[in-house]
Amino acid sequence: MNANAHIEARAAEWLARKDRPDWSPVQEREFKDWLAESTAHRVAYLRLDSTWERAGRLAVLRGSTNENDEPAAHLINWPFWAKAAASLAVLALAGSAYVYLQTKSPAEHRYATEIGARKTLALSDGSKVELNTDTAIRVAMTGNRRTVWLDRGEAYFQVVHDPAHPFVVHAGGRTVTDLGTKFSVRHDSDRFEVVVEDGSVRVAGATTRPLTETRGDVLMARGKSVLVKHETDDQLANDLSWRLGVLVFDQTALSDAAEEFNRYNQQKLVLADAAAAKIRIGGSFEAGNVEAFVRLLETGFGVRVTRKGADIIISS
Amino acid sequence: MSESELDAWFIREVLPLEAALMRYLRRNWREEGDLADLRQDVYVRVYDAARQGIPKQAKPFVFSTARNLLIDLVRRSRVISIETVADLELSNVSTEEVSPEQQVIARAELRQLQAALDRLPPRCREVVVMRKIDGISQREVAFRLGIAEDTVEKHVAKGARMLADILLGGELEGGHRRSSGYSRKADTDER
């Protein structure tokens, strides 16, 4: 009696396909034909579609807070739940909707990149966010705050400064608050780094007292240890070269360089011995081109390269 | 009568009975794995019969259809004892069934919807919330999550099936797991 599961799977496929932007009259015809083939098709589809539509009703109650459509100023005057209440159909539910929605976070919008990918986002307030490889963030632009959670990875922020509506990045237990700025934040397991390209930010949670970092400052934290250093414009540019898809090394240990490359590639570099790990290298490299990097190592430093599965093993 | 009128009647009057129907089928048929198929067979018979004329009362009609289907199956399977058939013939539509609320109580439904969403696997839930609740287009969801549009579609298909089972089949009330599988393919995209 497996025919039913098969029919339900097809019905679900049709339901999902109808959402495509390129849904055509030809497909509509094919869909109608499939429905007409048998009542079993029809009732299976009705069953899925009716609950799918019910789920859509939550949308009215949560209000539309897609930050790509709503300017932040608009949201400030219209807290999202009040906006929903303005719709007649849910007027009577305004109270319960508010209570319900309080327990769930308001419209968090999620963005992510795969390994080796980069992405630029324009936020509704005019700010820009660039995501580096293997990064996941959530954004909420509601009420009178602009919040980003950097769940993992690295992102560069160009913030339209607005003291009335603070722009805050949360990473692990720390926060980076914009004070009129261009800056990047990196957060992976126990690593936390902030590079300030312009303006200043306040960093809280990394040290006992919040620090204000300004242009050229770099804060690096590993576990509980925090280091703050000041960099020249050239060094800053190198730190942020990933925005152009380039990695820059200057007297960098090969072990560190390999670790960096591995963020951007499925093919991982593995160093076989301590001597190889200590080799110092310099130069600019395309982040996505592991092969070119490895070839340069072979010719430039005479290392030996072998492959094992998806890994590239380097030995001195 | 038009097909869309039939559809509307089916969604409004028949689907809300699914939880009670499943309880009935479960009580009267040994094989857990057959229940979804039986349910769909009942729906087909009900819908086809309604083409000739929509029954005045959906509930007794659905349950007598279910009972007749079970009797037919038992007879055909020849694995019967006289007692089984007699039991089915005698069984009334149970009056202990709580009649489904005609009025939707929006707050309870909201909670139910949220509970159902919470049961979805994480990446599937993300996609369903973004598509259905936030109203973000398929292309935009693919872009934001860094996945292919095909993958978004697979998650929508899987989410739609799971939501239907949870919301209609009453799986929230101490549920019985489906034994027939959802597509495993979408799972490989879970992070």
Side-chain angles (χ1 to χ4, degrees), chain A residues 20 29 37 60 84 86 122 128 154 158 225 237 257 268 302:
Chain A
R20 289 198 92 115
R29 176 86 261 133
E37 259 173 46
V60 184
K128 260 188 7 170
E154 185 171 20
Q158 226 169 297
S225 322
K268 305 293 180 194

Side-chain angles (χ1 to χ4, degrees), chain A residues 225-244:
Chain A
S225 322
V226 180
L227 167 69
V228 180
K229 54 180 175 160
H230 193 82
E231 292 188 344
T232 62
D233 282 354
D234 282 346
Q235 288 169 320
L236 272 184
N238 291 346
D239 283 345
L240 297 171
S241 61
W242 59 263
R243 298 173 59 212
L244 302 167

Side-chain angles (χ1 to χ4, degrees), chain A residues 115-169:
Chain A
I115 291 180
R118 276 177 299 126
K119 187 176 291 177
T120 303
L121 308 165
L123 302 182
S124 52
D125 64 344
S127 301
K128 260 188 7 170
V129 183
E130 289 177 34
L131 305 184
N132 198 1
T133 175
D134 198 19
T135 296
I137 69 168
R138 287 168 289 141
V139 181
M141 316 274 281
T142 57
N144 56 2
R145 25 189 52 241
R146 303 175 282 168
T147 314
V148 174
W149 292 267
L150 178 61
D151 290 328
R152 88 170 168 274
E154 185 171 20
Y156 172 83
F157 301 88
Q158 226 169 297
V159 180
V160 171
H161 188 57
D162 182 354
H165 308 107
F167 189 105
V168 180
V169 180

Side-chain angles (χ1 to χ4, degrees), chain A residues 1-2 4-5 8-9 12-13 15-17 19-21 39-40 42-44 46-48 50-59 61-62 66 68 93 96 99-100 104 108-114 119-121 134 152, chain B residues 3 7 10-11 15 18 36-37 39-40 43-44 47-48 51 106-107 109-110 112-114 117-118 126 128 130-134 136 138-140 143-146 149-150 153 156-157 160-161 163-165 167-168 178 191:
Chain A
M1 280 214 212
N2 229 330
N4 173 64
E8 193 182 278
E13 280 168 25
L15 190 153
R17 201 170 303 151
D19 274 349
R20 289 198 92 115
T39 306
R42 189 172 205 90
V43 298
L46 284 179
R47 189 173 168 273
L48 295 184
S50 66
T51 47
W52 190 242
E53 290 308 309
R54 267 168 76 184
R57 280 194 232 151
L58 256 187
L61 292 161
R62 279 172 74 147
N66 185 343
N68 289 329
L93 301 166
S96 54
V99 168
Y100 164 78
K104 302 282 170 195
E108 271 172 27
H109 296 272
R110 195 175 287 272
Y111 302 87
T113 45
E114 305 277 273
K119 187 176 291 177
T120 303
L121 308 165
D134 198 19
R152 88 170 168 274
Chain B
E3 214 148 39
D7 287 354
F10 187 80
I11 293 171
L15 286 177
E18 184 164 309
D37 293 334
R39 178 198 70 213
Q40 292 304 106
Y43 284 164
V44 169
Y47 192 98
D48 280 339
R51 287 182 207 267
R107 187 178 189 154
E109 171 153 323
L110 251 192
Q112 200 189 34
L113 269 166
Q114 186 65 54
L117 284 175
D118 290 343
E126 249 166 52
V128 170
M130 286 173 80
R131 286 290 294 118
K132 208 62 198 164
I133 316 276
D134 296 342
I136 300 169
Q138 189 187 74
R139 182 155 297 164
E140 181 67 19
F143 170 75
R144 289 191 191 189
L145 296 183
E149 279 189 57
D150 275 353
E153 240 179 71
V156 166
R161 291 177 72 179
L163 280 183
D165 280 348
L167 290 172
L168 288 174
R178 278 184 70 126
R191 214 190 265 263

Side-chain angles (χ1 to χ4, degrees), chain A residues 9 30 36 39 57 72 111 113 127 161 166 171 196-197 222 246 257-258 267 274 299 303 307:
Chain A
E30 283 173 27
T39 306
R57 280 194 232 151
Y111 302 87
T113 45
S127 301
H161 188 57
V196 184
E197 194 188 31
R222 300 271 188 288
V246 167
Q267 271 195 307
T299 53
V303 296
R307 278 141 221 277

Side-chain angles (χ1 to χ4, degrees), chain A residues 19-79:
Chain A
D19 274 349
R20 289 198 92 115
D22 54 355
W23 179 255
S24 65
V26 169
Q27 289 179 298
E28 180 73 27
R29 176 86 261 133
E30 283 173 27
F31 171 58
K32 289 262 151 67
D33 286 347
W34 179 82
L35 275 183
E37 259 173 46
S38 127
T39 306
H41 294 186
R42 189 172 205 90
V43 298
Y45 184 80
L46 284 179
R47 189 173 168 273
L48 295 184
D49 192 55
S50 66
T51 47
W52 190 242
E53 290 308 309
R54 267 168 76 184
R57 280 194 232 151
L58 256 187
V60 184
L61 292 161
R62 279 172 74 147
S64 96
T65 53
N66 185 343
E67 80 272 13
N68 289 329
D69 298 332
E70 313 268 318
H74 193 59
L75 285 168
I76 285 144
N77 297 323
W78 275 105

